[in-house]
Amino acid sequence: MPITGRKALNRAGMRFTSQRALIMEIIRRGRGHLDADEIYRQARGKEPRLSLSTVYRTLQMLKKLNVVDELHFDESHHHYEVKHSAEHYHLKCLGCGKVVEFSYPLSSYLKENVPAARDFDITVTEVSMSGYCARCRRGR
Amino acid sequence: MPITGRKALNRAGMRFTSQRALIMEIIRRGRGHLDADEIYRQARGKEPRLSLSTVYRTLQMLKKLNVVDELHFDESHHHYEVKHSAEHYHLKCLGCGKVVEFSYPLSSYLKENVPAARDFDITVTEVSMSGYCARCRRGR
DNA sequence: AATTTAATTGCAAATGATTAGCATTACTAA
DNA sequence: TTAGTAATGCTAATCATTTGCAATTAAATT
């Protein structure tokens, strides 16, 4: 089940290219939260001539098509993941860098409980928590 | 009531300089959520020779001293605000850019309700929601 | 108050992440 | 098959932030 098929792209006036197929494949497989550079590195393994610009352009496109989410951890670059159907968030360990996901219907919860959110039409909710996982906590 | 007095800095082996005083003053007054460049622009009104490096260095210092928080909206640069005592988060309007704050004890709520968060020692929780405020929603 | 010394500054240049310009390539529709 | 035009791969630009270093200057010491 491809993320975005040839037809879907064509319908939008876009083209299905080998580079895009490759990049989408990498994002889909890499269950983690890849950043542009990691995607680039993996892609070059298959297609050494592929450029970093293409990675960025494809990422922008997928973001616009609502296929991937861009995550902002406390870093200078972004991470990307395939859009999940279920609402979920991230918990990042400052010790080992591990990222734990958890599902939670936070946006509806907040909408109900936060007065300020009530007359807002909220389209994006981003939560990122960090701290130390059990293992790393012990080692300190 | 200065954010960080001369004594507090000296105790930490640091110096109290006019530049730092000015930058802290600007952050404290600018109730909003200033970015480095805005702070720089305001500071230059008073001290035209002050450099952007100094702004960044001071910001890093204040972050380390736990005096300011660095906020990551969905932008390529960061924003800064004086650390509040009360836990609060942000709601940003994608139409007019307005940022609304709301207080909410979210971290303890999540700690209680999210199993994955239970054995984590959470030190930072960041939430940012965006959407359209009532006024902007009408204009669409 | 004068002297010392090490933190801080300003400037310029470096870095890292991302974007843009443009000639060339290669999907697609006709 | 071909014409038309997205998309690619370069390289160079941009934006935000950091760094190196010589010149200042705050604060501890005399």
Side-chain angles (χ1 to χ4, degrees):
Chain A
M1 190 201 312
I3 295 175
T4 297
R6 189 192 315 280
K7 282 181 195 166
L9 286 183
N10 292 347
R11 221 176 300 122
M14 323 190 84
R15 293 173 183 177
F16 188 85
T17 65
S18 65
Q19 293 91 332
R20 285 179 175 173
L22 175 58
I23 291 170
M24 292 189 236
E25 179 63 13
I26 288 171
I27 297 175
R28 189 163 62 81
R29 294 209 174 186
R31 306 231 143 248
H33 310 94
L34 308 176
D35 57 32
D37 209 64
E38 175 63 22
I39 294 169
Y40 178 54
R41 231 172 305 133
Q42 290 190 30
R44 293 201 114 197
K46 286 271 176 193
E47 291 210 28
R49 297 184 44 91
L50 182 138
S51 84
L52 184 54
S53 306
T54 298
V55 172
Y56 276 109
R57 279 187 285 231
T58 303
L59 250 15
Q60 290 302 52
M61 180 199 84
L62 293 174
K63 213 170 55 158
K64 198 158 292 173
L65 293 180
N66 264 299
V67 173
V68 304
D69 274 328
E70 187 179 73
L71 308 175
H72 306 100
F73 294 132
D74 185 0
E75 292 184 87
S76 54
H77 59 273
H78 306 145
H79 290 251
Y80 299 85
E81 68 175 10
V82 174
K83 214 182 192 79
H84 281 46
S85 44
E87 184 178 352
H88 73 288
Y89 301 100
H90 302 88
L91 194 50
K92 177 167 193 175
C93 178
L94 299 171
C96 58
K98 184 175 59 175
V99 175
V100 177
E101 287 187 9
F102 62 91
S103 295
Y104 206 80
L106 198 58
S107 65
S108 63
Y109 175 81
L110 289 173
K111 211 172 276 186
E112 282 164 28
N113 292 279
V114 175
R118 224 160 264 149
D119 35 313
F120 245 80
D121 174 19
I122 299 176
T123 57
V124 185
T125 302
E126 209 179 319
V127 174
S128 79
M129 297 194 286
S130 13
Y132 293 89
C133 69
R135 177 200 297 275
C136 287
R137 191 145 32 107
R138 257 177 259 124
R140 298 165 81 227
Chain B
M1 189 201 314
I3 296 174
T4 298
R6 182 183 272 94
K7 281 182 195 164
L9 286 183
N10 292 346
R11 222 178 297 122
M14 323 190 84
R15 294 174 181 176
F16 187 84
T17 66
S18 63
Q19 292 91 330
R20 285 178 175 173
L22 175 58
I23 292 169
M24 292 190 239
E25 179 64 13
I26 288 171
I27 297 174
R28 189 164 63 80
R29 294 209 173 185
R31 307 230 143 248
H33 309 93
L34 308 176
D35 56 31
D37 209 66
E38 176 62 23
I39 294 168
Y40 178 53
R41 232 171 307 131
Q42 290 190 29
R44 293 200 115 198
K46 286 269 176 193
E47 290 210 28
R49 298 185 43 90
L50 181 137
S51 84
L52 185 54
S53 307
T54 298
V55 171
Y56 275 109
R57 281 188 283 231
T58 302
L59 250 14
Q60 289 303 54
M61 180 199 87
L62 293 174
K63 213 169 57 157
K64 198 158 291 172
L65 293 180
N66 264 299
V67 174
V68 304
D69 274 328
E70 187 179 74
L71 307 176
H72 307 100
F73 294 130
D74 184 0
E75 292 184 85
S76 54
H77 60 272
H78 306 144
H79 289 251
Y80 299 86
E81 67 176 11
V82 173
K83 215 183 193 79
H84 282 45
S85 43
E87 183 178 353
H88 74 288
Y89 301 102
H90 302 90
L91 193 51
K92 177 168 191 174
C93 179
L94 299 171
C96 58
K98 184 176 59 177
V99 175
V100 176
E101 287 186 10
F102 61 92
S103 295
Y104 206 80
L106 196 59
S107 65
S108 63
Y109 174 80
L110 288 173
K111 211 172 275 186
E112 282 164 29
N113 292 280
V114 175
R118 224 162 262 147
D119 36 312
F120 245 78
D121 173 20
I122 299 176
T123 57
V124 185
T125 301
E126 209 179 319
V127 174
S128 77
M129 296 194 288
S130 12
Y132 293 89
C133 68
R135 178 200 297 275
C136 287
R137 190 144 33 105
R138 257 178 260 124
R140 297 166 82 227

